[in-house]
Amino acid sequence: MASLQDQLRGLVYSTEHGETCPECRQPIADCRCTEQAEQARLAALDGIVRIRRETSGRKGKGVTTVSGVPLPADELKALAKALKKRCGTGGAVKDGVIEIQGDHRESLKAELEARGYRVKLAGG
């Protein structure tokens, strides 16, 4: 990570190229930071999909999180849509983790195993 002075000195807009990426200093059209971050996320996965129920930071409301799915972002959104439809609830995709409202661990496990993933129930 660059020092604060280097961050403040960087070019953020050019009349020639328009906006520039703060990470790589390339024009936004030429920036590959998001693709590299997505590739790094996929490389760090171990092939096991983990399903857990979380309540922390949600005012006691429980959500089921599905992490470790080895899919690119657009396919992950499509999978999340199918899982939400299967459970009949809402949810979201945040930072490569699918969040489904409510406790649906068993039905999600059955659906993901039917799609060919190795699934583990994590947490309590």
Side-chain angles (χ1 to χ4, degrees):
M1 181 87 188
S3 70
L4 181 61
Q5 292 296 326
D6 291 339
Q7 291 176 14
L8 294 175
R9 284 189 198 125
L11 181 69
V12 292
Y13 187 84
S14 168
T15 55
E16 183 178 346
H17 302 289
E19 290 186 43
T20 59
C21 175
E23 297 294 321
C24 64
R25 308 282 188 210
Q26 297 293 322
I28 292 292
D30 297 334
C31 178
R32 302 288 178 246
C33 294
T34 56
E35 293 173 8
Q36 292 172 351
E38 183 70 19
Q39 290 173 354
R41 182 187 71 84
L42 291 174
L45 299 176
D46 61 356
I48 299 174
V49 177
R50 289 176 174 79
I51 302 174
R52 71 174 54 94
R53 183 174 181 271
E54 294 182 3
T55 58
S56 62
R58 306 176 196 283
K59 299 180 182 175
K61 307 283 184 181
V63 297
T64 304
T65 60
V66 180
S67 59
V69 182
L71 292 176
D74 54 345
E75 294 178 24
L76 194 63
K77 284 185 180 183
L79 176 65
K81 183 176 180 179
L83 293 177
K84 291 187 297 185
K85 189 174 182 179
R86 165 84 188 255
C87 296
T89 61
V93 177
K94 297 180 182 174
D95 299 325
V97 177
I98 301 172
E99 296 180 354
I100 307 287
Q101 296 173 354
D103 187 5
H104 301 282
R105 289 178 289 188
E106 295 302 324
S107 62
L108 290 176
K109 181 178 180 183
E111 177 69 21
L112 289 170
E113 285 176 343
R115 291 177 182 247
Y117 294 105
R118 286 184 33 203
V119 180
K120 282 188 179 179
L121 294 179

